[in-house]
Amino acid sequence: MENWLKRTLENYQPVNDWLASKRKSSLVALKNKSWPTRKTEAWKYTPVTAIEKSDFELGGTIPSTQEAGLPELETIDIVFVNGQVSQLPENLPEGVTISSLENASANEQQWALAQFNHIKPESHYFGLVNDVLASAGVLINIAADYKLASPIRLVNRMTDNQEAHCRNLVRLGKGSEATIIEHSIGDDSSFNTHVSEYDIDEYAVLTHYKLATQQREAISINGCHFNLQKNSKLLSYLIGFGSKLTRLDYDVKHLGRDSYALLNGFYLTDAKEHFDLHSNFEHTSVNGITKTRTKGLIAGESHAVFNGRIHIHPGAPKTAAEMNNRNLLLSHKAEIDTKPELEIYTDDVQCAHGATISQIDPEMLYYMTSRGIDHMRALEILNFGFVNEMLEELPHPSIGEWLALATGERLKKVELNG
């Protein structure tokens, strides 16, 4: 067990709340696990030395800030600052309840206890860390058959020299529909784990955005975990910017027949940043569909990792699954490790996977510069075009426009081959 965790657990004061039994079992499991190293398969390409050497303040004060919303989009905002809930919405629609962990009702505690650390696989090392240390979080419940008009936005803001661990549990009732945006903010030196577990009931539809936009010195290890029941649907969109260390574990369990999961997104890294996306789709029932398409733009001396796995169990015939990962290296020193996986244990399935790594086509670049476009501007246009189709496909155009602007500004600053 390395310095950071050893020091943290030595100073750990057990949180005596209604989740105490869950925390205790996760603490036991954590102590029996080995610290992730390059010899650990799931961390082969992602060193955690930045965490080992960290000495951040845990449970610091909440600075007085007013969180900016997304342009032209009315959202129901929940704000965490340095691991503490600083804003909960009031006057919620009738079909929605949102409670902090400390204010959860007896009924909310009952369903949360059944799902806490159940949707998230126990194999995730820092997920167990989050189980033990997360003292702040929210429970979100969407009532059966309720169609929520305004998106819920979960903002996780970090400030300089802070450490935080937050937890979200979300339940969509049968036949309900909702949009949830997870938005990470804060580029200063900090460390956070933020874990969300989603229980999506029969015929429910969740539109989900993961905006992992922390950059520069931030260390961020997050998890998004989903259970899909019969005829439920998940539409998830990921945009990731690299930082000192960003890791996202993304898990989907197809538990009911005719469930559908979509994951589309891209990551853009620069300088010496690191971004690691691990996705895992478990098909355990008949007629499930998974479609996942991710792209990477890797610039400067940055390093990106993609590990995508689709696992089809013996009881999941007629599964249709496809996975595609495409990457552009924007400089000679950039690096990508990509590993799509299919693991199939039944017949009568349709599955495909693929990965590509390339650079900008010199003929396309020549075509643009020969028509009077500046060389660097031409590179920006071609790089932006590589990911823009994904932004144009987002269900909420205002989010796509905002992200297009942020992506364009970031591309102007990244280190290219020139």
Side-chain angles (χ1 to χ4, degrees), residues 29 39-40 63 91 100 113 119 127 137 151 188 201 205 207 218 227 272 312 337 365 390-391 409:
K39 294 182 179 180
T40 308
N91 302 318
S100 64
L113 279 168
I119 301 173
D188 293 328
D201 207 344
V205 179
T207 301
N227 274 359
K272 294 185 178 181
I312 303 175
D337 291 289
L365 186 59
M390 290 191 166
L391 296 173
E409 289 299 314

Side-chain angles (χ1 to χ4, degrees), residues 13 45 205 364:
Q13 298 296 322
Y45 303 108
V205 179
M364 294 177 65

Side-chain angles (χ1 to χ4, degrees), residues 45-46 242 246 267-270 273-277 295-299 301-307 325 327-329 334-338 357:
Y45 303 108
T46 300
T246 295
Y267 40 89
L268 169 57
T269 62
D270 187 31
E273 296 172 343
H274 188 97
F275 183 89
D276 182 348
L277 171 62
K295 294 185 177 184
L297 289 168
I298 305 98
E301 299 178 48
S302 64
H303 183 193
V305 180
F306 172 80
N307 193 146
N325 177 239
N327 300 277
L328 280 181
L329 296 178
E335 181 181 351
I336 172 70
D337 291 289
T338 178
I357 303 171

Side-chain angles (χ1 to χ4, degrees), residues 400-411:
E401 292 169 6
W402 177 77
L403 286 170
L405 181 62
T407 301
E409 289 299 314
R410 184 156 164 79
L411 277 171

Side-chain angles (χ1 to χ4, degrees), residues 155-306:
V155 180
N156 180 29
R157 175 176 286 282
M158 297 297 299
T159 61
D160 191 36
N161 200 41
Q162 297 297 307
E163 177 183 326
H165 309 277
C166 305
R167 189 58 159 266
N168 308 309
L169 289 96
V170 183
R171 177 172 61 176
L172 271 69
K174 183 177 180 179
S176 64
E177 295 182 11
T179 296
I180 295 183
I181 304 166
E182 297 190 44
H183 191 183
S184 300
I185 302 173
D187 304 335
D188 293 328
S189 180
S190 63
F191 171 43
N192 80 92
T193 69
H194 198 104
V195 173
S196 298
E197 295 182 287
Y198 294 86
D199 185 19
I200 307 173
D201 207 344
E202 297 179 359
Y203 300 94
V205 179
L206 172 64
T207 301
H208 172 260
Y209 294 90
K210 180 64 177 180
L211 310 182
T213 55
Q214 288 182 281
Q215 301 175 50
R216 297 198 294 271
E217 294 301 310
I219 302 173
S220 178
I221 300 185
N222 289 191
C224 298
H225 313 285
F226 308 85
N227 274 359
L228 293 176
Q229 305 298 338
K230 176 183 175 181
N231 284 102
S232 63
K233 182 180 289 187
L234 167 67
L235 307 172
S236 189
Y237 305 91
L238 162 70
I239 286 80
F241 292 163
S243 67
K244 187 172 186 177
L245 171 57
T246 295
R247 164 74 176 242
L248 174 60
D249 285 287
Y250 188 104
D251 295 274
V252 178
K253 299 176 186 175
H254 290 263
L255 301 178
R257 63 173 297 140
D258 300 303
S259 55
Y260 179 94
L262 169 75
L263 170 61
N264 279 353
F266 70 86
Y267 40 89
L268 169 57
T269 62
D270 187 31
K272 294 185 178 181
E273 296 172 343
H274 188 97
F275 183 89
D276 182 348
L277 171 62
H278 270 60
S279 65
N280 181 45
F281 296 83
E282 300 281 351
H283 284 266
T284 65
S285 190
V286 66
N287 277 346
I289 297 175
T290 288
K291 294 183 179 180
T292 171
R293 180 168 53 114
T294 51
K295 294 185 177 184
L297 289 168
I298 305 98
E301 299 178 48
S302 64
H303 183 193
V305 180
F306 172 80

Side-chain angles (χ1 to χ4, degrees), residues 350-367:
Q350 296 180 17
C351 297
H353 71 299
T356 61
I357 303 171
S358 61
Q359 296 178 316
I360 288 292
D361 186 341
E363 292 187 4
M364 294 177 65
L365 186 59
Y366 174 76
Y367 175 86

